[in-house]
Amino acid sequence: MSYKIVKYGDPVLETPAAPVTGFHTAELSELIEGMFETMYAAKGVGLAAPQVGVSQQLTVIDTSVGQDPAQKLVLINPEIIFREGRQTGEEGCLSIPGFREDVTRSAKVTVRARNAAGEAFETSGEELLARAIQHEIDHLHGILFLQHLSPLKRDMIRRKIRKMVKAGEW
Ligand code: NI
């Protein structure tokens, strides 16, 4: 089942998500499957549960955009336990369509998370994967990439979006 992606302006995107407590359930499997489907349809590399209106600490990532099943990553209740270096690159968000800006993030991260069965694991990523992991974990804390921009740039984007909302184009 594909979901509707929640857009900037919906409070769920700026609300810290609750930890997942029920593992190994049909609901959780369906949510994960639906999130991958939604993300691929939108040609994204990551999608967090709040972006489909579910305020839970779950995110799916695939930097191959569906080309390599081995790249599929599900992070539940994730926590970044190691960071190294810096990278600056263009970033966008499926909840803020049409806007892309340079964001500086850690170049490499290691994350500790649980899988759908509730088993804890650790994984590391560099470059685009590191960027996706940080962007998606931000979502679980109610943080959008706009918060990493200068106040000037952030306000400019907010103003443009407000205009689009008024015009019924958002
Ligand atoms: Ni995003």
Side-chain angles (χ1 to χ4, degrees):
M1 190 193 103
S2 184
Y3 293 96
K4 186 173 179 287
I5 296 177
V6 169
K7 282 191 189 173
Y8 177 70
D10 189 313
V12 73
L13 292 175
E14 292 174 272
T15 304
V20 172
T21 51
F23 293 92
H24 242 326
T25 66
E27 287 88 346
L28 188 59
S29 307
E30 277 166 28
L31 176 61
I32 291 167
E33 211 171 290
M35 283 174 60
F36 272 114
E37 198 181 315
T38 306
M39 179 179 81
Y40 292 142
K43 300 197 172 7
V45 298
L47 187 69
Q51 292 183 277
V52 296
V54 178
S55 196
Q56 291 191 23
Q57 291 178 22
L58 188 162
T59 176
V60 299
I61 292 169
D62 180 358
T63 53
S64 82
V65 200
Q67 296 308 297
D68 177 9
Q71 304 301 314
K72 287 175 82 171
L73 186 60
V74 177
L75 301 175
I76 301 177
N77 302 344
E79 190 190 344
I80 292 172
I81 55 171
F82 175 79
R83 306 174 168 272
E84 194 173 55
R86 273 154 73 86
Q87 58 168 326
T88 300
E90 218 184 47
E91 209 167 292
C93 179
L94 295 176
S95 293
I96 315 173
F99 295 92
R100 296 185 69 81
E101 294 291 341
D102 275 354
V103 177
T104 299
R105 303 230 184 229
S106 300
K108 186 178 176 185
V109 295
T110 300
V111 62
R112 181 182 292 149
R114 291 187 184 276
N115 63 19
E119 297 155 347
F121 68 97
E122 286 179 13
T123 188
S124 296
E126 298 180 39
E127 299 175 14
L128 178 60
L129 179 56
R131 176 173 297 284
I133 289 171
Q134 292 167 85
H135 178 112
E136 298 313 324
I137 291 180
D138 266 0
H139 270 299
L140 304 183
H141 296 135
I143 295 167
L144 301 168
F145 84 90
L146 300 182
Q147 280 170 256
H148 293 280
L149 307 179
S150 70
L152 195 73
K153 204 156 248 178
R154 185 164 57 230
D155 287 347
M156 208 168 72
I157 293 175
R158 280 191 182 140
R159 267 202 305 277
K160 281 184 187 165
I161 293 174
R162 262 200 299 274
K163 264 188 202 163
M164 290 166 82
V165 171
K166 271 187 192 160
E169 291 164 355
W170 190 247

